[in-house]
Amino acid sequence: MKFELQSKDTKSNARAGRITTDHGEIETPIFMPVGTQGSVKAVHMTELKEEVKAQIILGNTYHLYLRPGLDILERAGGLHKFNSWDKPILTDSGGFQVFSLAEIRKIREEGAEFRSHINGSKHLFTPEKVMDIQRTIGADIIMAFDECCPGDAEYDYAEKSLALTERWLDRCLDRFNSTEPQYGYQQSLFPIVQGCVYPDLRKRAAEYIAGKGADGNAIGGLAVGEPVEKMYEMIELVNEILPSDKPRYLMGVGTPVNLLEAIERGVDMFDCIMPTRNGRNGQLFTRFGTMNMRNKKWADDFSPIDPDAYCSVDTLYSKAYLHHLIKVEEILGLQIASIHNLAFYLWLVKEARKHIIEGDFTSWKSGMVKQLSNRL
């Protein structure tokens, strides 16, 4: 994997770059739609390419390991062949899913033991096993196995958790460096900065990871219950330390405003379930604010869903029609809302990139944040 830094904003830490993988190029800043189980919910691969204009999508190690399982993925030739997506894929390590299974998992030095949320069967994720699983899934970018501690964790817990994550990272790197990709193209491993909301722990984590020389680096354990001001503070602190010549990936974040604030602080890559999850609940994101399509005010509004037309559904259908579909729980409504939201997120990061290159990102971002915060 190669990362080329193309432009830097003179008034902030925002930057524009290009990531080159064996499955194609990614222009940064970039938003990555989440395809947890090998599918971005309610969206076809052709729609992701042609309507959303996604350049890279995510898969989830935990879910894909359980279903369809590694045997099926290997026989298919990896996730790219299995789901018919020929552009880059990133897989997270399953650390967050294990974290979310607090009632049915045990964490020890060896790894994380958990019970499947599907049938209760017992499994053990070690750093080595997670590397092997991600080799078999075949993503272009794979994540180190970490412990994601809660946003409100006490200092002692966060410190012990970080120490464990650092030991696990070394084991991940050893396994990754001693194995080969399975399908004839290269894979890159990203370490993950943890440390909760404690500046000294985040600094320590970033310094530890900066010394590893990885192709890129991730910032994890944010947007898990901590105040948003703390999230921004941790991003600033970490990005002062992480190498500037490698992409920085903020995991699981967030709202359109979160994206712009993080881009201003030097983040290059994002993922979040919000565009699709909120879309399935009738919330649409636009550059003038959010719309709740369940509200009665849209019932007789026959204007286009969004005249800005980020994708074809925006002008093909009216607000009244989408309101009707959402109210009667018609599947098409969920599809339309998901496609629109994803296309808007991809438009937003592309606009940010354009303004970074043109040199007026800071003033553009200031006005956009005000607009995005409206409720329509």
Side-chain angles (χ1 to χ4, degrees):
M1 194 190 91
K2 187 174 78 172
F3 179 62
E4 175 191 358
L5 197 56
Q6 297 174 306
S7 186
K8 294 174 71 176
D9 181 48
T10 57
K11 296 179 181 177
S12 73
N13 289 319
R15 57 228 218 117
R18 179 182 291 120
I19 298 169
T20 304
T21 75
D22 287 350
H23 279 103
E25 294 183 344
I26 305 157
E27 292 190 328
T28 64
I30 192 65
F31 179 82
M32 305 179 284
V34 177
T36 302
Q37 308 200 63
S39 159
V40 177
K41 289 187 189 301
V43 184
H44 288 286
M45 295 300 174
T46 51
E47 292 166 336
L48 280 172
K49 283 185 183 179
E50 297 167 12
E51 299 287 338
V52 173
K53 297 180 174 58
Q55 299 176 45
I56 174 174
I57 63 173
L58 263 68
N60 180 265
T61 294
Y62 167 85
H63 288 284
L64 292 169
Y65 161 78
L66 292 175
R67 293 184 301 195
L70 300 184
D71 177 58
I72 293 293
L73 288 168
E74 193 164 25
R75 286 160 59 192
L79 183 58
H80 289 90
K81 294 284 181 64
F82 188 59
N83 71 1
S84 301
W85 177 257
D86 60 4
K87 291 177 180 286
I89 296 176
L90 181 151
T91 43
D92 64 16
S93 67
F96 181 78
Q97 281 66 40
V98 171
F99 154 73
S100 66
L101 297 171
E103 302 303 316
I104 50 174
R105 56 103 164 127
K106 294 178 182 175
I107 293 174
R108 55 180 190 265
E109 189 66 36
E110 185 183 3
E113 185 181 276
F114 61 91
R115 291 193 176 274
S116 164
H117 71 287
I118 301 163
N119 59 15
S121 57
K122 189 182 288 187
H123 304 270
L124 176 66
F125 270 11
T126 65
E128 294 80 9
K129 184 170 184 176
V130 167
M131 292 298 96
D132 294 346
I133 293 169
Q134 291 185 89
R135 286 291 201 197
T136 299
I137 294 171
D140 301 87
I141 300 171
I142 71 177
M143 305 306 299
F145 191 51
D146 61 338
E147 188 197 355
C148 178
C149 70
D152 59 355
E154 296 290 334
Y155 183 89
D156 286 350
Y157 180 94
E159 185 178 32
K160 289 175 184 174
S161 173
L162 176 58
L164 180 63
T165 288
E166 290 174 341
R167 293 193 296 274
W168 281 1
L169 171 60
D170 288 341
R171 290 167 58 188
C172 285
L173 287 164
D174 287 345
R175 187 60 154 228
F176 180 79
N177 291 330
S178 64
T179 55
E180 294 293 329
Q182 290 187 217
Y183 307 111
Y185 52 84
Q186 289 302 307
Q187 294 178 290
S188 293
L189 172 62
F190 282 22
I192 304 172
V193 175
Q194 290 289 352
C196 200
V197 293
Y198 301 107
D200 63 319
L201 296 183
R202 285 282 175 180
K203 181 174 183 289
R204 166 185 147 183
E207 288 171 347
Y208 191 79
I209 281 171
K212 299 299 179 182
D215 287 343
N217 300 292
I219 306 168
L222 295 173
V224 289
E226 81 286 351
V228 70
E229 296 78 17
K230 274 289 179 187
M231 176 172 76
Y232 297 148
E233 179 189 337
M234 294 303 106
I235 293 169
E236 285 181 20
L237 187 156
V238 166
N239 279 347
E240 287 175 5
I241 300 167
L242 291 179
S244 61
D245 62 343
K246 301 292 175 66
R248 301 162 179 157
Y249 163 34
L250 180 60
M251 304 180 74
V253 179
T255 67
V257 170
N258 291 158
L259 265 62
L260 295 185
E261 294 290 353
I263 288 170
E264 187 175 51
R265 290 162 171 82
V267 173
D268 307 297
M269 304 168 70
F270 302 87
D271 79 286
C272 191
I273 60 171
M274 190 172 283
T276 47
R277 183 190 61 192
N278 289 30
R280 294 194 305 274
N281 288 311
Q283 185 182 48
L284 262 59
F285 297 99
T286 79
R287 69 186 176 104
F288 296 109
T290 56
M291 297 191 293
N292 182 351
M293 299 313 296
R294 295 183 181 278
N295 289 350
K296 192 175 181 181
K297 66 184 290 186
W298 308 119
D300 60 352
D301 186 334
F302 303 107
S303 65
I305 290 171
D306 195 327
D308 282 337
Y310 307 110
C311 52
S312 65
V313 299
D314 287 344
T315 50
L316 183 61
Y317 304 111
S318 69
K319 295 183 182 74
Y321 182 58
L322 182 55
H323 168 82
H324 160 70
L325 294 177
I326 297 291
K327 289 290 283 186
V328 300
E329 299 183 348
E330 183 62 47
I331 292 172
L332 180 59
L334 316 184
Q335 292 177 294
I336 291 169
S338 297
I339 292 167
H340 163 84
N341 280 348
L342 287 171
F344 171 72
Y345 267 59
L346 267 295
W347 171 85
L348 186 66
V349 293
K350 187 176 181 180
E351 280 292 292
R353 175 185 167 83
K354 183 182 86 172
H355 288 283
I356 292 166
I357 293 169
E358 291 177 352
D360 64 345
F361 170 79
T362 307
S363 58
W364 169 82
K365 176 249 175 186
S366 178
M368 185 59 67
V369 165
K370 291 175 184 174
Q371 289 181 192
L372 291 169
S373 302
N374 294 328
R375 290 187 178 273
L376 303 177

